[in-house]
């Protein structure tokens, strides 16, 4: 079995078919949170026989019913002002909704409740209308920041555009997994987009994918390259005010909607990290986004325009998106949504929320989360991201007084938006278990659940996911105390642990270059943009460490609403978890726990390592409750995580000690290699690196 | 400076001369325990101006005097039955002795006492007459089990036999270091000897070395190849009863003594691990040893005949030396000494003492200790061996009733011997600091001190060595509490720590093949002699682990005198530190602390790792008291030791868990790699190994 797990799905297809007869399918992790159950007989009524979606809902109920034997489940399409599109009401065994999609989501909810032991009635409406996965899949099949094999949508080679039964089966499994947690949109390709995505072959493939996803309520979207009119259309430029360009896009959109009438729209990364955009023609983001929005408008399509823009200027990178977009507030079409990463820098283990949240009051805005673990251990480390997202959702922007949380300023609760949406950068690939790490499945799950309900807490989600993914048929107290509780605790602590062993106390962007795995606080190859190198972010010197974003520094604090601007400006009122994000402080700065900053930094790095070691113990102890295959895979990953956490700790302590010139506290475990080793060893491959500094 | 330290002395000579002016010589560790002091003026009387030895003693006093200013030190050659050859009496500032060598040793003792703060009078006589270092130096300059560069005596190349001033200076420094701790003999070449050692060029070099060593009281010895009459003399055989062979040896010995009149004698490894010997001609060890003894007798030369013999037979290797030599007790000439390794197997981190000690009652016997750390971390790990040797010296053989310790049955206290002697396998090489690891110097020091006084305890030796090697001129309580005490504690625990992380509870011979560094409990390449493979020694299976040497097993216990034979035969009375050396026990065997054997094994491995981590903290804390160079070198070595200890722990736990099938206890830190990694990674180079199993 083991060999299979590290190979890609393509490669192992034949093996898998052979092995299917001999081993429990569940062990390979492919079933996610939808593992087969011993269903009881059930009758489903109210099914519109002509609707594929209703058919799916019915089949799910029949295949997974754990309620009373021979019960009747009633589907009801109703008019009910308390139930929004996609929403539903569960009363006993009846599911009512105003749309077929509501019935489908209700069916999954009812089944989930049976499996997790919650039998209460519920009315449930989604927080965001569009709950989208962004796939950073390239057309050659690779995935940017993908750690679970190649793309499930695209591939290179002779049969790149042949749609096989295997493709369709996989897409269907993917669609089902998404539908079961409420995800209703997929951007099929990388934001660093090829113009070729709008080519004929690619659009044909879009049609095929959309056909499989549609009955599961999932709209398809594409990332577009702003220069497509040049690359694909052979126009001389892509100036958004050029009538030829406008025409080209209108025709291309018409072509797409003819093929896929329920197409969702475009995701655009423009004038960001080298991508083309309207500024290439001295036009603005508004010019670019509105031009596309006008083309999409007749079909109810939307433009998701990313706010992740920054230049290699003297301006603090953390401030740039705000400075760029705030002047345009109110100028975008109503079918443009600005897509904003959770933090101002880039999906770091911890950042404060982006100051754009709430600040754009007349412009629809959508949060972008990263489900794939670019900076949080790829698919090698167990890091449950729900706590990070919960921290963001619950952060109060104070834009309209207290309780203007990021959740409420983006989901339409405070600023009405024609469209509400949320994006998560997917961690799905061809690996048998979809996500590389068994526990990375929990992040996909959590993203869907939080996109549906941005008030949901991480603990509830972890509890659900563990029960669905690991519980035996006969859950008892032994299992609850022996597996559920310790594993839940580990998951809930795991993100803070990762912060501890990598970038505690507000440190950010000190990772290794290129693959972003492991530490690289020294990383600054000659000729590299300063704002891409860690020393720009940690600012360590003999006096101290940290990025001064106070009024005395870059004044990034001023982009936050009162009282946050003042709180972050004052070291005494800045939450210590953001300390070095906002302040440059002496190594001897006294922390609230009485330790010096240097000692406390060392303690955090060290306790992160010790925590991961403890997770190894936790996992070893749950062995009796889990199948051998998944047990071994997670055990092996935790071994690596321990090594990697120690690599982080040792490298950071030794590197920063060069500046602090202070001893490592006694209670902190010593490095096991010299700094030179860490600086010359690639933390991902563990092989020597060529380039140093 | 750092570059120099890893290079060999030869290579760095020019650099060293250049740097000498700029850096404190002391930092490179070359001065050992004889670091320069700010000597006070002193007058020395009673010096025989014609005696080079007396001249050395005088010069040492003058260069290192820390007593009263302008004091007079009196050398007195006296007749005193309480003072043996080499012994001395210190009364105030007077040193009296019956020999010049006694004056020299007395001078070093007086200076040591001044430096370590002991000003009492003393009469001191050596425990062993011959206190010898065995150099396993090959004639091409390499050293078998040498971890500190090449040989100081031999080299290959065009100028292999040129005696340079540099050679002579180094030999003199070597001789001085030895004399200062009482060592009075050096075997200049490997026991796996080349016949060529008795060639003309080699003997000429012997003459040059002997000339430098002689004034320091050091006799030279050679290891001989028993087949030399064939290889060198062109005889058809080396049969010890062949008159031609006898004649050849007589003439060779005469030739040597003509060149070196005070030559000490021969060391012989015969019929052992492939070396030739009398058994090749169906003669016995007695035949071989006595033939050589007869040749040496006229010159008062001795034969040191090694008892380290064993065959790949069905007989327990631990029993073979005893079985081989006991029948010959009383048959050897009086100038033959049987040289016996401390334990029955081979210098393991822990073994019980060899049952030959005391058992041979009519045959002179000498202990062989290993100063070089073949099985104890080479020159990479801090392991102070004095505690191991103290354990051996103080082990009671009970041969002549209680208090028949190994010390007393070998030093002539119980069985009178014409010659008493002790051998230590040297850790000296061309490295600037002589021994590779700063703390490996302590093992050279301790060997000399214990060869002089086999009742000396490790704590006293550690205390002396630290003061001589690290104390500043102005020792105060800060230094004592901040450096001396913690470092002493670390040294005294270090061997037990090494046992813990490698071979606890009587495990032995489970190291990696060939270089003997790191774990290799699985090591058993096809075609290898079973008694050279770890599985032969640990005997792990589903039922348990350990080598059954009780009456139900190989009955090796019966080679020990009562009450030990019975004690070792009974698991309840076997000291737990020897448990798996004598017993094969169930994984669930209940230890005295209440743990199962499996849990206790895991605890030992784990606590060994934690101890080394603690040494890192200890060392970091002493930084203010030690020069930067030595601090950094030891710090780096401790980092490696921590990694290596963890490698031992992880590999052993994972390997043996395959048999025990029991969980690792909660309180034990988890492995950080899979077993396969440890089995396919060379623990010395940390690179992948080709051969597996």
């Amino acid at each position: 079995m083991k060999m299979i797990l590290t190979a890609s799905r393509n490669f192992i297809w034949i093996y898998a078919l052979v092995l299917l007869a001999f081993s429990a399918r569940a062990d390979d992790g492919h079933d996610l949170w939808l593992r087969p159950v011993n269903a009881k007989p059930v009758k489903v009524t109210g099914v519109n026989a002509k609707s594929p979606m209703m058919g799916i809902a019915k089949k799910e109920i029949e295949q997974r019913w754990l309620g009373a034997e021979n019960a009747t489940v009633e589907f009801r399409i109703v008019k009910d002002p308390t139930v929004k599109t996609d929403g539903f009401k569960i009363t006993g065994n009846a599911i009512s909704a105003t749309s077929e999609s509501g019935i489908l989501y209700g069916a999954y909810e009812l089944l989930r409740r049976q499996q997790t032991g919650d039998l209460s009635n519920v009315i449930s409406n989604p927080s965001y209308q569009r709950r989208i996965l962004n796939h950073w899949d390239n057309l050659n099949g690779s995935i940017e920041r993908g750690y679970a094999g190649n793309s499930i949508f695209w591939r290179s080679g002779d049969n790149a555009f042949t749609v096989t039964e295997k493709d369709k089966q996989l897409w269907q499994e993917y669609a089902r997994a998404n539908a079961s947690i409420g995800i209703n949109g997929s951007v099929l390709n990388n934001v660093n987009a090829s113009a070729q995505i709008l080519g004929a072959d690619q659009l044909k493939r879009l049609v095929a994918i959309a056909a499989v996803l549609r009955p599961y309520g999932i709209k398809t979207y594409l990332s577009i390259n702003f220069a497509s009119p040049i690359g694909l259309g052979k126009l001389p430029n892509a100036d958004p005010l050029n009538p030829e360009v406008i025409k080209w896009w209108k025709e291309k959109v018409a072509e797409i909607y003819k093929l896929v009438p329920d197409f969702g729209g475009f995701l655009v990364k423009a004038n960001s990290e080298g991508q083309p955009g309207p500024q290439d023609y001295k036009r603005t983001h508004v010019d670019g986004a509105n031009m596309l929005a006008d083309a999409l408008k007749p079909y109810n399509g939307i433009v998701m325009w990313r706010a992740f823009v920054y230049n290699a200027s003297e301006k603090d990178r953390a401030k740039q998106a705000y400075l760029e977009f705030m002047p345009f507030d109110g100028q975008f079409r109503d079918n443009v949504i600005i897509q904003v990463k959770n933090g101002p820098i880039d999906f770091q283990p911890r950042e404060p929320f982006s100051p754009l949240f709430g600040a754009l009051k007349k412009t629809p805005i959508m949060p972008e989360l990263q489900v794939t673990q670019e900076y949080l251990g790829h698919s090698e480390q167990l890091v449950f991201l729900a706590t990070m997202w919960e921290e963001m959702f619950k952060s109060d922007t104070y834009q309209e007084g207290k309780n203007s949380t990021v959740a409420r300023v983006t989901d339409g609760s405070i600023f009405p938006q024609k469209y509400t949406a949320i994006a998560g950068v997917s961690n799905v690939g061809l690996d048998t278990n979809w996500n590389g790490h068994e526990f990375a499945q929990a992040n996909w799950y959590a993203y869907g659940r939080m996109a549906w309900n941005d008030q949901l807490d991480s603990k509830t989600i972890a509890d659900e996911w563990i029960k669905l993914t690991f519980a035996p048929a006969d859950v008892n107290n032994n299992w609850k105390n022996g597996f559920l509780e310790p594993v839940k605790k580990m998951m809930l602590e795991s993100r803070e642990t990762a912060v501890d062993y990598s970038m505690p106390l507000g440190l950010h962007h000190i990772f290794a270059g290129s693959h972003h795995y492991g530490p690289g606080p020294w990383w600054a190859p000659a000729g590299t943009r300063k704002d891409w190198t860690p020393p720009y972010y940690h600012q360590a010197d003999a006096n101290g460490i940290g990025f001064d974003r106070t009024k005395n520094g870059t004044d990034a604090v001023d982009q936050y609403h009162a009282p946050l601007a003042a709180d972050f400006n004052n070291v005494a009122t800045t939450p210590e978890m953001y300390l070095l994000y906002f302040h440059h402080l002496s190594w001897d700065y006294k922390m609230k726990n009485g330790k010096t900053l240097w000692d406390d930094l060392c303690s955090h790095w060290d306790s992160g390592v010790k925590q991961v070691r403890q997770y190894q113990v936790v996992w070893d102890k749950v062995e009796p409750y889990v199948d051998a295959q998944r047990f071994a895979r997670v055990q092996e990953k935790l071994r690596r995580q321990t090594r990697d956490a120690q690599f982080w700790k040792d490298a950071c302590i030794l590197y920063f000690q060069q500046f602090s010139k202070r001893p490592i506290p006694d209670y902190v475990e010593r490095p096991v290699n010299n700094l030179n080793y860490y600086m010359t060893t690639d933390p991902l491959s563990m092989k020597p690196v060529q380039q140093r500094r």
Side-chain angles (χ1 to χ4, degrees), chain A:
Chain A
M1 264 324 253
K2 217 161 177 188
M3 196 190 334
I4 289 172
L5 305 165
T6 56
S8 82
R9 257 194 95 67
N10 271 337
F11 177 71
I12 54 84
W13 197 253
I14 297 158
Y15 286 72
L17 288 177
V18 171
L19 283 167
L20 215 53
F22 303 99
S23 66
R25 173 80 179 295
D27 297 345
D28 65 11
H30 190 67
D31 286 320
L32 296 161
W33 46 87
L34 294 166
R35 293 155 60 81
V37 296
N38 291 322
K40 295 186 187 159
V42 64
K43 202 182 152 203
V44 184
T45 66
V47 182
N48 174 356
K50 285 186 191 151
S51 159
M53 192 177 279
M54 292 288 256
I56 290 168
K58 175 171 180 277
K59 196 171 144 205
E60 292 286 5
I61 294 283
E62 287 166 353
Q63 286 184 341
R64 307 181 61 77
W65 184 252
L66 295 175
E69 208 157 324
N70 297 314
T72 298
V73 172
E74 201 181 342
F75 290 172
R76 293 188 209 145
I77 302 285
V78 296
K79 291 205 170 170
D80 183 341
T82 66
V83 179
K84 294 191 219 166
T85 310
D86 290 352
F88 55 82
K89 203 170 184 175
I90 296 176
T91 318
N93 291 342
I95 304 167
S96 43
T98 57
S99 62
E100 290 190 348
S101 60
I103 297 292
L104 182 64
Y105 296 130
Y108 283 118
E109 177 71 21
L110 179 55
L111 294 171
R112 174 164 45 237
R113 283 174 176 248
Q114 287 180 343
Q115 233 181 310
T116 58
D118 174 2
L119 300 176
S120 59
N121 294 332
V122 66
I123 300 179
S124 183
N125 287 307
S127 298
Y128 300 91
Q129 294 161 7
R130 303 202 181 210
R131 304 169 298 278
I132 302 175
L133 274 183
N134 290 3
H135 290 265
W136 287 359
D137 296 14
N138 300 312
L139 298 185
N140 68 1
S142 66
I143 303 181
E144 184 170 335
R145 312 303 173 189
Y147 312 109
N150 268 0
S151 170
I152 62 168
F153 298 123
W154 310 99
R155 61 174 165 257
S156 55
D158 288 344
N159 70 340
F161 296 102
T162 315
V163 176
T164 65
E165 284 310 305
K166 199 179 87 187
D167 284 337
K168 288 198 273 185
Q169 188 191 325
L170 197 61
W171 296 338
Q172 188 187 4
E173 289 167 351
Y174 162 83
R176 177 182 177 229
N178 278 330
S180 77
I181 51 176
I183 289 170
N184 69 352
S186 297
V187 181
L188 302 182
N189 65 311
N190 193 353
V191 287
N192 293 317
S194 161
Q196 213 47 54
I197 185 65
L198 300 179
D201 281 338
Q202 287 78 6
L203 292 183
K204 248 171 73 182
R205 197 160 175 86
L206 164 69
V207 171
I209 296 168
V212 177
L213 271 48
R214 187 172 296 116
Y216 285 92
I218 298 170
K219 271 193 197 321
T220 46
Y221 301 76
L222 295 177
S223 296
I224 58 102
N225 184 303
F226 198 78
S228 299
I230 308 168
L232 198 67
K234 310 303 173 200
L235 295 187
N237 64 51
D239 182 345
L241 302 193
N242 176 350
E244 276 193 292
V245 169
I246 295 170
K247 181 165 169 275
W248 188 88
W249 280 111
K250 282 207 162 148
E251 289 173 3
K252 183 52 77 180
V253 167
E255 180 190 349
I256 296 171
Y257 275 92
K258 203 169 164 187
L259 294 167
V260 185
D262 60 348
F263 181 71
F266 292 149
L267 171 60
V268 193
K269 176 177 182 179
N271 293 124
S272 164
E273 299 184 324
Q275 291 298 316
Q279 292 174 341
D280 302 347
Y281 310 97
K282 301 204 188 311
R283 312 301 180 192
T284 66
H285 287 290
V286 173
D287 297 331
N290 286 355
M291 181 272 291
L292 292 171
D294 290 341
L296 289 157
K297 182 92 177 178
Y299 313 98
N300 290 317
I302 63 169
V303 174
M304 298 170 285
W305 193 269
R306 288 175 99 230
F308 181 63
V309 297
Y310 62 101
N311 301 312
S313 70
E314 284 310 294
K315 271 187 221 133
D316 178 3
R317 173 171 162 186
K319 293 174 67 178
Q320 294 188 34
Y322 183 99
L323 292 173
E324 185 71 41
F325 280 86
M326 279 303 283
F328 300 134
D329 195 17
Q331 298 181 34
F332 289 99
R333 300 282 185 271
D334 67 0
N335 61 332
V336 173
I337 310 190
I338 306 303
Q339 182 165 319
V340 179
K341 290 187 181 184
N342 59 294
I345 302 294
D346 188 14
F347 297 138
Q348 297 303 286
R350 172 167 280 132
E351 295 177 68
F353 65 87
S354 165
L356 277 173
F357 289 127
L360 283 173
K361 300 181 183 186
K362 292 175 270 176
T363 307
I365 195 165
M366 62 187 284
E368 177 179 329
L369 310 178
Q370 197 180 39
V371 185
T372 194
Q373 294 166 242
E374 177 177 358
Y375 300 102
L376 282 146
H378 295 190
S379 287
E380 303 302 331
Q381 300 180 9
L382 189 162
V383 183
F384 181 53
L385 301 176
T387 47
M388 178 164 84
W389 299 329
E390 184 179 351
E391 187 174 295
M392 179 206 70
F393 281 125
K394 293 187 175 165
S395 289
D396 201 336
T397 70
Y398 293 95
Q399 291 290 351
E400 298 293 312
K402 227 170 167 328
N403 201 24
S404 303
T405 61
V406 172
R408 299 187 71 238
V409 299
T410 57
D411 69 8
S413 302
I414 292 181
F415 307 112
Q417 302 182 187
K418 182 172 174 188
Y419 298 104
T420 58
I422 186 167
V425 181
S426 164
N427 63 351
V428 165
L430 279 175
D431 277 4
T432 304
N433 74 357
W434 300 92
N435 307 119
H437 196 306
E438 309 301 310
F439 279 78
Q441 298 179 348
N443 293 329
W444 183 6
Y445 183 87
Y447 167 68
R449 297 289 289 137
M450 285 180 150
W452 182 274
N453 180 359
D454 59 14
Q455 304 300 313
L456 212 53
D457 63 89
S458 332
K459 199 169 166 180
T460 303
I461 296 172
D463 189 87
E464 282 178 11
W465 179 79
I466 296 168
K467 286 175 176 165
L468 297 172
T469 309
F470 286 104
D474 54 335
V475 166
N476 57 25
N477 275 335
N478 280 350
W479 184 82
K480 280 184 182 158
N481 298 327
F483 190 96
L484 177 65
E485 293 306 329
V487 171
K488 198 193 315 179
K489 183 166 181 292
M490 170 171 74
M491 288 174 71
L492 291 171
E493 292 168 354
S494 61
R495 180 261 185 154
E496 199 64 43
T497 295
V499 168
D500 279 341
Y501 62 66
S502 63
M503 307 185 215
L505 297 179
L507 284 175
H508 54 289
H509 207 299
I510 62 169
F511 44 78
S514 161
H515 54 52
H516 301 172
Y517 191 88
W522 50 78
W523 193 81
T528 305
R529 279 171 58 165
K530 252 181 68 181
D531 63 338
W532 282 354
T533 70
Y536 170 87
Y537 295 94
H538 62 63
Q539 298 278 330
D541 57 26
N543 298 320
I545 184 172
F547 198 119
D548 185 354
R549 295 194 167 100
T550 67
K551 288 182 188 302
N552 297 324
T554 67
D555 199 17
V557 294
D558 210 41
Q559 294 184 340
Y560 291 91
H561 195 278
L564 292 182
D567 283 355
F568 293 158
N569 191 57
N570 180 352
V571 66
T573 51
T574 303
E576 287 190 339
M577 64 182 178
Y578 300 141
L579 203 60
L580 303 176
Y581 183 90
F582 287 116
H583 302 276
H584 185 83
L585 296 173
S586 151
W587 296 107
D588 295 326
Y589 171 80
K590 193 75 90 183
M591 301 293 292
K592 294 199 172 98
N593 61 18
K595 289 179 185 162
T596 65
L597 173 58
W598 167 250
D599 284 2
D600 205 33
L601 273 171
C602 290
S603 304
H604 277 277
W605 283 313
D606 190 54
S607 77
V609 176
K610 286 170 179 156
Q611 281 282 82
V612 184
R613 288 199 189 126
Q614 195 47 40
Y615 298 162
Q616 290 189 284
V617 176
V618 168
W619 191 249
D620 279 0
K621 287 177 80 169
V622 304
E623 186 170 5
Y625 301 105
V626 60
D627 52 279
Q629 287 81 355
R630 288 193 294 175
F631 174 77
R633 286 200 303 272
V634 172
Q635 187 188 49
E636 179 160 355
K637 296 272 188 190
L638 284 170
R639 286 174 181 167
R640 165 150 205 182
Q641 189 170 354
T642 303
R643 303 198 301 274
D644 292 340
Q646 182 157 12
F647 194 112
W648 263 109
K649 165 185 87 72
D650 286 2
C652 288
I653 287 181
L654 290 172
Y655 172 75
F656 289 112
Q657 195 179 29
Q658 296 179 116
F659 302 99
S660 81
K661 304 218 181 292
R662 276 150 182 81
I664 305 168
D666 293 352
Y667 48 84
V668 167
E669 211 172 280
R670 265 45 196 168
V672 298
N673 280 290
N674 294 344
L675 178 57
N676 183 60
Y677 168 84
Y678 297 107
M679 288 178 70
T680 57
T681 301
D682 180 79
L684 184 60
S685 68
M686 294 304 278
K687 295 192 172 130
V689 284
Q690 301 302 324
Q691 190 184 40
R692 185 181 151 201
R693 298 223 69 145

